[in-house]
Amino acid sequence: QVQLVESGGGLVQAGGSLRLSCVASGGIFSIDQMSWFRQAPGKQRELVALITGIGTIDYGNSVKGRFTINRDIAKNTVYLQMNSLKPEDTAVYYCAASQRGSLYWGRGTQVTVSS
């Protein structure tokens, strides 16, 4: 079973940057895809970015050109570099791992962008 721990959230002013990290442990060898999601108060959870096992990357429309997902396989870590942050980026950010039809979630990290 995969365990995920996010870190790097915090309070930042609009226009600033943050980098989130997600460390995976447990049964990580057959992870098909790693993703970042976010959920703002009163809104549905939405996909922010994903990276597949072969390195294919995709982003949600609202973050394209501002956020970058990458990974360090040796460290079992996926990162989300967030630039040009906006108040509407305020949310809890969750890391997720897809493995053999199962989806595992981290506990989330809060990102707050002040105007």
Side-chain angles (χ1 to χ4, degrees):
Q1 191 166 359
V2 178
Q3 293 86 45
L4 303 169
V5 179
E6 304 99 333
S7 62
L11 174 64
V12 64
Q13 289 188 332
S17 299
L18 282 174
R19 189 178 79 157
L20 305 183
S21 301
C22 172
V23 179
S25 60
I28 64 172
F29 294 105
S30 56
I31 289 178
D32 306 307
Q33 179 175 296
M34 296 289 293
S35 308
W36 286 98
F37 287 78
R38 68 186 182 187
Q39 188 166 19
K43 294 188 177 181
Q44 289 189 332
R45 193 169 295 191
E46 65 171 343
L47 176 68
V48 175
L50 65 87
I51 183 166
T52 70
I54 60 171
T56 302
I57 290 174
D58 200 8
Y59 298 95
N61 288 333
S62 61
V63 306
K64 284 182 179 177
R66 300 188 298 122
F67 291 10
T68 302
I69 188 171
N70 58 21
R71 62 186 176 183
D72 185 332
I73 294 175
K75 295 182 178 180
N76 302 324
T77 302
V78 173
Y79 303 97
L80 184 68
Q81 178 66 44
M82 306 185 295
N83 298 328
S84 302
L85 283 161
K86 305 175 181 180
E88 50 264 44
D89 294 318
T90 295
V92 178
Y93 284 70
Y94 297 92
C95 179
S98 303
Q99 182 188 59
R100 296 172 180 167
S102 296
L103 187 62
Y104 299 93
W105 294 93
R107 300 186 67 175
T109 184
Q110 175 71 46
V111 171
T112 303
V113 185
S114 63
S115 57

